[in-house]
């Protein structure tokens, strides 16, 4: 009798297993896919900030031509005007450095007026007038700009200021009214180290930065 019950229970278990298999089946890869959830049920996509905005706001200064103390100020400049580009600014600053020096050496106050702020223009004009009264003229030449490095940057309201250190080689000659050399030499370039500050109103119609302060390093 015991053997009979064991066989009977085994047959019942086999029967249930076959029924379960017929109901569930086995996976073949062609099963019906679950219904897609409606738009209301789907999780909303996560919107990432645009790459340019996120990158500029967080790290605008992966550049060896920028001192660490200027980084925070440059981020403020970029936040105030997202189109600001550090590399383009430095290229423009070097061009302005050359044009300003050449205009000053020639005594061209009209050209200086487009490049510098009023107080700086007044100081340049005074130096130019003193040369004229002394009957002297400068025959200087900018040989090369060895480096241009942003050393400071600030933003107050919409007014941005960026300070750049220029290391350059300049051949400096002073001539008298007859053209005779009274100081300097064109054959020997002198190392010069200038610290100039440029300013601009952010988001203004005028894209130009003007020189507002000059100093020697």
């Amino acid at each position: 009798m015991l053997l009979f019950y064991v066989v009977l229970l085994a047959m019942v278990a086999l029967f249930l297993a076959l029924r379960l298999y017929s109901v569930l089946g086995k996976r073949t890869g062609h099963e019906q896919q679950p219904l897609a959830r409606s738009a209301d049920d789907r999780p909303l996509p996560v919107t990432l900030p645009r790459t340019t905005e996120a990158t500029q706001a967080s790290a605008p200064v992966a550049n060896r031509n920028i001192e660490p103390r200027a980084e925070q100020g440059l981020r403020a400049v970029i936040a105030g005007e997202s189109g600001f580009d550090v590399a383009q600014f430095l290229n423009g600053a070097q061009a302005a450095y050359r044009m300003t020096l050449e205009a000053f050496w020639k005594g061209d106050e009209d050209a200086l007026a487009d490049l510098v702020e009023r107080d700086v223009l007044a100081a340049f004009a005074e130096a130019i007038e003193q040369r004229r009264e002394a009957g002297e003229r400068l025959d200087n030449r900018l040989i090369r700009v060895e480096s241009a490095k942003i050393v400071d940057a600030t933003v107050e309201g919409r007014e941005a200021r960026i300070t750049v250190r220029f290391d350059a080689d300049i051949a400096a000659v002073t001539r008298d009214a007859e053209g005779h050399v009274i100081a300097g030499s064109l054959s020997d370039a002198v190392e010069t180290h200038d610290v100039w500050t440029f300013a601009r109103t952010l988001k203004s119609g005028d894209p130009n930065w003007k020189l507002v302060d000059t100093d020697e390093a």
Side-chain angles (χ1 to χ4, degrees):
M1 292 296 292
L2 179 60
L3 179 61
F4 172 78
Y5 284 117
V6 171
V7 172
L8 179 61
L9 290 174
M11 294 177 64
V12 171
L14 180 60
F15 174 78
L16 292 176
L18 291 173
R19 290 287 297 171
L20 183 62
Y21 184 86
S22 66
V23 172
L24 298 180
K26 59 182 179 179
R27 298 189 63 83
T28 64
H30 299 284
E31 293 80 18
Q32 182 179 3
Q33 298 298 319
L35 294 176
R37 286 184 291 178
S38 65
D40 293 336
D41 295 332
R42 297 174 188 167
L44 294 176
V46 178
T47 303
L48 297 176
R50 289 184 297 174
T51 302
T52 54
E53 293 178 354
T55 303
Q56 289 178 340
S58 60
V61 289
N63 192 319
R64 63 183 178 84
N65 293 322
I66 300 170
E67 287 194 357
R69 67 173 179 170
E71 294 180 5
Q72 183 176 355
L74 286 176
R75 290 191 179 96
V77 173
I78 293 171
E81 191 167 272
S82 59
F84 176 80
D85 182 89
V86 173
Q88 289 182 0
F89 172 83
L90 280 173
N91 289 335
Q94 291 186 62
Y97 180 69
R98 178 181 293 275
M99 290 188 293
T100 302
L101 287 178
E102 290 177 349
F104 173 66
W105 295 335
K106 294 176 182 177
D108 189 345
E109 296 181 33
D110 291 336
L112 287 171
D114 294 330
L115 297 166
V116 306
E117 185 261 352
R118 185 179 304 171
D119 290 343
V120 177
L121 178 61
F124 281 165
E126 182 178 356
I128 291 170
E129 182 60 28
Q130 289 176 355
R131 288 205 312 260
R132 289 173 180 163
E133 292 177 354
E136 298 174 351
R137 64 182 179 87
L138 299 180
D139 188 15
N140 296 358
R141 299 177 188 175
L142 177 60
I143 306 302
R144 69 180 63 84
V145 177
E146 295 287 354
S147 67
K149 187 173 187 178
I150 296 176
V151 297
D152 200 6
T154 60
V155 176
E156 294 184 6
R158 291 175 54 199
E159 296 301 314
R161 290 190 172 213
I162 299 178
T163 302
V164 182
R165 171 180 169 135
F166 298 98
D167 297 318
D169 294 331
I170 295 176
V173 170
T174 302
R175 299 181 184 274
D176 61 17
E178 286 74 33
H180 300 130
V181 175
I182 59 177
S185 170
L186 286 176
S187 60
D188 296 324
V190 178
E191 292 184 2
T192 60
H193 310 284
D194 293 315
V195 178
W196 287 14
T197 299
F198 300 89
R200 179 174 174 269
T201 301
L202 300 178
K203 294 184 179 179
S204 67
D206 185 358
N208 297 318
W209 293 76
K210 283 196 172 185
L211 179 64
V212 297
D213 191 29
T214 64
D215 201 354
E216 294 182 358

